[in-house]
Amino acid sequence: MLKPRQLPEEVCALLKERLYNEYDAHYTYRAISNWLQNKGFSKASAYFAKEAEDELKHAETLQKYIVDWNDTPTLPTIQNIPT
């Protein structure tokens, strides 16, 4: 039986760390966008909403890459951002 190819564990660990960073950035930008929208700064809010979307795309790309190399990333726990 053939064993599926996998990346070395240290490489997977680094990629998973980057994945968590992407999600952290996504939630941070989304929180900033929401706050700005609430304060009436719609153009600035739209800018950060776009940045949040970009970070989410980065996370999806990393997830797919990790899964394609036969590993399963766990998703980070979402911390409550103080208001």
Side-chain angles (χ1 to χ4, degrees), residues 59-80:
E60 290 169 353
T61 301
L62 273 171
Q63 280 181 132
K64 182 175 181 338
Y65 186 80
I66 294 167
V67 169
D68 286 349
W69 274 97
N70 299 307
D71 199 351
T72 304
T74 55
L75 298 180
T77 302
I78 300 170
Q79 300 296 320
N80 189 13

Side-chain angles (χ1 to χ4, degrees), residues 18-30:
R18 295 295 69 80
L19 176 63
Y20 300 158
N21 294 147
E22 296 295 344
Y23 273 114
D24 185 50
H26 167 72
Y27 281 105
T28 300
Y29 287 145
R30 176 53 59 196

Side-chain angles (χ1 to χ4, degrees), residues 7-36:
L7 291 171
E9 184 54 42
E10 58 271 9
V11 173
C12 283
L14 290 170
L15 290 172
K16 290 174 185 177
E17 209 174 304
R18 295 295 69 80
L19 176 63
Y20 300 158
N21 294 147
E22 296 295 344
Y23 273 114
D24 185 50
H26 167 72
Y27 281 105
T28 300
Y29 287 145
R30 176 53 59 196
I32 293 168
S33 175
N34 291 343
W35 185 87
L36 289 166

